[in-house]
Amino acid sequence: KRVTLTLDRPISFDAGQYAHLSVEDVWGARAYSFANAPSAGGSTTLNFFIRHVPGGMFTDLLFSGGLAGKPIKVHGPSGNFWLRESRAPLIGVAGGSGLAPLLSMLEDAAARNVGRPCILLFGARTQADLYAQDELAALAQRWNGAFTFVPVLSHEAADSGWHGERGLVTERIAAHAGALASGDAEAYLCGPPPMIDAAM
């Protein structure tokens, strides 16, 4: 689910970083990556992609509408997941809500006219789990250079009409990395820990 927050004052962050969100009725803060590119002078509108965790106090409230009209505290930014300065081709591998920091990072790179070949692989279970498709299509149009988006579905029904790639996203890295024709590509990974371990 895309969650958009409007802040009472701007926050500055680097594309790829995250913030801690907290509400009065829930103990502890939850960390979520910014899903939009930063703005010069700071941003007062923030996007996050948040997955519902059944039984999770914060997401149960969020998805049931229990947080409507309630203030949410945003603390941050945090993290060192950001695009390093280089001319090397890019390989992004995301799973689930791990698409958020990569989208933020690539949106920012497109705005800065970074001209590096890029392949973005996104692992999801079914077609219903694919999101931000309009943003990714627009990003591909604006990208200064070759940009390829590859969704990979692990649990899509055989008779669904899906003609894209199947299996685990980590199983498709080698096939697509070869298309970059460079041994100096940089990889940016974000998703569940087993996905990260398998990708590495």
Side-chain angles (χ1 to χ4, degrees):
K1 174 175 183 161
R2 179 193 304 276
V3 175
T4 301
L5 301 182
T6 302
L7 307 184
D8 56 4
R9 61 181 181 272
I11 184 173
S12 295
F13 61 92
D14 292 327
Q17 289 191 300
Y18 65 92
H20 287 94
L21 308 186
S22 59
V23 293
E24 195 172 80
D25 299 334
V26 177
W27 180 84
R30 308 304 193 267
Y32 297 105
S33 296
F34 300 104
N36 54 300
S39 299
S43 303
T44 54
T45 300
L46 303 176
N47 290 324
F48 300 94
F49 296 137
I50 299 179
R51 180 177 61 89
H52 184 206
V53 179
M57 292 179 65
F58 181 82
T59 59
D60 276 354
L61 279 172
L62 176 66
F63 279 75
S64 69
L67 295 182
K70 293 190 176 182
I72 298 177
K73 292 182 181 177
V74 179
H75 178 76
S78 297
N80 58 9
F81 187 82
W82 45 271
L83 184 63
R84 276 42 178 185
E85 291 299 325
S86 169
R87 299 184 65 169
L90 301 170
I91 302 172
V93 183
S97 59
L99 183 61
L102 283 164
L103 185 58
S104 173
M105 197 171 69
L106 295 175
E107 288 275 5
D108 181 61
R112 294 186 291 112
N113 210 29
V114 171
R116 299 165 65 177
C118 180
I119 294 175
L120 175 60
L121 294 103
F122 177 48
R125 291 176 61 84
T126 68
Q127 291 184 72
D129 299 313
L130 295 175
Y131 63 93
Q133 299 302 289
D134 291 342
E135 290 97 326
L136 289 164
L139 177 62
Q141 290 294 318
R142 294 195 320 274
W143 193 260
N144 178 21
F147 185 96
T148 305
F149 173 63
V150 183
V152 183
L153 303 183
S154 62
H155 290 75
E156 183 68 14
D159 60 353
S160 68
W162 172 253
H163 299 295
E165 303 210 15
R166 294 175 179 269
L168 298 177
V169 67
T170 53
E171 296 168 347
R172 306 305 305 150
I173 296 172
H176 290 282
L180 294 174
S182 170
D184 298 324
E186 293 179 353
Y188 293 85
L189 316 173
C190 193
M195 187 210 83
I196 301 295
D197 293 341
M200 292 177 67

